[in-house]
Amino acid sequence: MTATTVDGAKTASSKVTVANPVNEVNGLPSVAYQGHVQNIGWQDYVRDGALSGTEGRSLRVEGFKIKLENAPAGLKIKYKTHVQNIGWQDWVYDGAMAGTQGRSLRVEALQIALEGTDADKYSVVYQAHVENEGWQNWVQDGQVSGSFGKSQRIEALRIKIVEKSSVSPSVLYQGHVQNIGWQDYVKNGDLSGTQGKSLRIEGFKIKLENAPAGLRVKYKAHVQNIGWQDWVYDGALAGTQGKSLRVEALQIALEGADADKYTIKYQAHVQNVGWQNWVQDGQITGTFGKSQRIEALRIIITKK
């Protein structure tokens, strides 16, 4: 900071460090992190959801360091990377380097988790900016962000610490629609499919975001000429692709950790019927035996 007198004759400067600008106000631990970036080297530490790495420059993150500030004694942060030509490395802790330096290898995926004192009170949430994909959805508490087996670099990263009570799961879903193909993912009650265009949904994928570790979504479709398919989980395809077959009915349910604490609700827009009533937790929406297509879908997840 530089101060200048009114007449401009004198100035004085002072360096000021602002620690934990976000979480200090909220009384939460802060997370500080820095990336080692292609052609740049180690960047400065950033904190609490700020961007580390680069965006729009096609530069790989080669390594990173993560540490906690203002954390309870005994609370630790651990993290690991999936690195080009190496695979998954071991967990490291509290400011140690994950990835590599001086080897020109890209970080492709990562996991971050909390451990120790009060780890049950906080969640670490994070998202990666990935080559050819852009920003992925936020994940948390040891879930994988990035990709592996696709030779895609992580280009940037954001990390936050939040209270567990403040993290609400979201449901994301996308439909494969006649004459359109795969639409983009939508979330939390937004419309997937079409309305007023008489186009069938042929398949769909559903996944959770910011969900407790171990909580899963499962779903199954009743398909023209096939009938009920088996349950699939967490982003897998239900229905068909490339067969021109309509989805006629579906069921969606939660399974695993904390499934008893949440309800998943959904409704279908059906040919000649319009929007049906909301149903939940494995109940059937749509029809079967009537040769009617599902044209659109909405899904939400709520606490019981």
Side-chain angles (χ1 to χ4, degrees):
M1 296 178 65
T2 300
T4 304
T5 59
V6 174
D7 61 6
K10 295 182 179 180
T11 62
S13 298
S14 177
K15 185 176 180 180
V16 177
T17 300
V18 180
N20 314 320
V22 176
N23 281 3
E24 185 178 71
V25 176
N26 300 325
L28 296 174
S30 279
V31 57
Y33 45 101
Q34 65 174 167
H36 188 280
V37 179
Q38 174 187 357
N39 299 337
I40 295 175
W42 286 107
Q43 297 177 309
D44 292 336
Y45 273 100
V46 297
R47 293 169 175 78
D48 300 329
L51 184 150
S52 181
T54 62
E55 192 173 358
R57 298 176 62 183
S58 300
L59 299 177
R60 64 182 173 264
V61 173
E62 299 175 347
F64 60 92
K65 300 175 183 178
I66 307 172
K67 61 184 179 180
L68 298 178
E69 297 177 343
N70 294 335
L75 182 64
K76 305 174 73 177
I77 191 163
K78 65 179 184 178
Y79 43 100
K80 63 190 297 188
T81 54
H82 188 280
V83 178
Q84 174 188 358
N85 299 336
I86 294 175
W88 283 108
Q89 296 179 308
D90 293 334
W91 291 100
V92 296
Y93 289 79
D94 301 322
M97 185 181 77
T100 63
Q101 182 177 345
R103 299 176 64 182
S104 300
L105 299 176
R106 64 182 171 263
V107 173
E108 299 177 338
L110 60 101
Q111 296 172 264
I112 311 173
L114 298 174
E115 185 177 290
T117 306
D118 290 337
D120 59 332
K121 295 181 180 178
Y122 304 105
S123 282
V124 57
V125 297
Y126 44 100
Q127 66 172 169
H129 189 282
V130 177
E131 176 185 1
N132 299 327
E133 294 184 24
W135 285 108
Q136 294 184 326
N137 296 321
W138 290 91
V139 297
Q140 68 182 68
D141 298 333
Q143 295 174 329
V144 174
S145 187
S147 64
F148 48 97
K150 296 182 178 181
S151 300
Q152 294 183 150
R153 64 182 171 264
I154 287 179
E155 299 176 346
L157 182 66
R158 296 186 179 118
I159 313 173
K160 302 187 289 189
I161 302 290
V162 298
E163 289 182 303
K164 284 203 170 176
S165 60
S166 70
V167 178
S168 297
S170 293
V171 57
L172 291 86
Y173 45 101
Q174 65 174 167
H176 188 279
V177 179
Q178 174 187 357
N179 299 335
I180 295 175
W182 285 109
Q183 297 177 309
D184 292 336
Y185 273 101
V186 297
K187 65 194 296 186
N188 296 340
D190 290 335
L191 185 149
S192 181
T194 62
Q195 192 171 346
K197 296 185 177 181
S198 301
L199 298 177
R200 64 183 171 264
I201 288 184
E202 300 174 347
F204 57 93
K205 299 176 183 178
I206 308 172
K207 59 185 180 179
L208 299 179
E209 179 182 48
N210 292 336
L215 182 64
R216 308 177 70 190
V217 62
K218 66 178 184 178
Y219 44 100
K220 62 192 296 189
H222 188 280
V223 179
Q224 174 188 358
N225 299 336
I226 295 176
W228 283 109
Q229 297 178 310
D230 293 333
W231 291 101
V232 296
Y233 291 80
D234 300 323
L237 170 69
T240 62
Q241 183 177 345
K243 296 185 177 181
S244 300
L245 299 176
R246 64 182 171 263
V247 172
E248 299 177 337
L250 60 100
Q251 296 172 264
I252 310 172
L254 298 173
E255 184 178 289
D258 292 333
D260 59 334
K261 297 179 181 178
Y262 299 97
T263 290
I264 190 159
K265 300 179 181 180
Y266 43 99
Q267 66 171 169
H269 188 280
V270 177
Q271 175 187 358
N272 300 328
V273 177
W275 285 107
Q276 295 183 317
N277 293 326
W278 289 90
V279 297
Q280 65 186 58
D281 298 332
Q283 295 174 329
I284 293 172
T285 191
T287 62
F288 49 98
K290 297 184 178 182
S291 301
Q292 292 177 320
R293 63 183 171 264
I294 288 180
E295 299 176 346
L297 182 65
R298 295 187 181 116
I299 312 173
I300 59 175
I301 186 169
T302 61
K303 284 190 176 182
K304 286 188 176 178

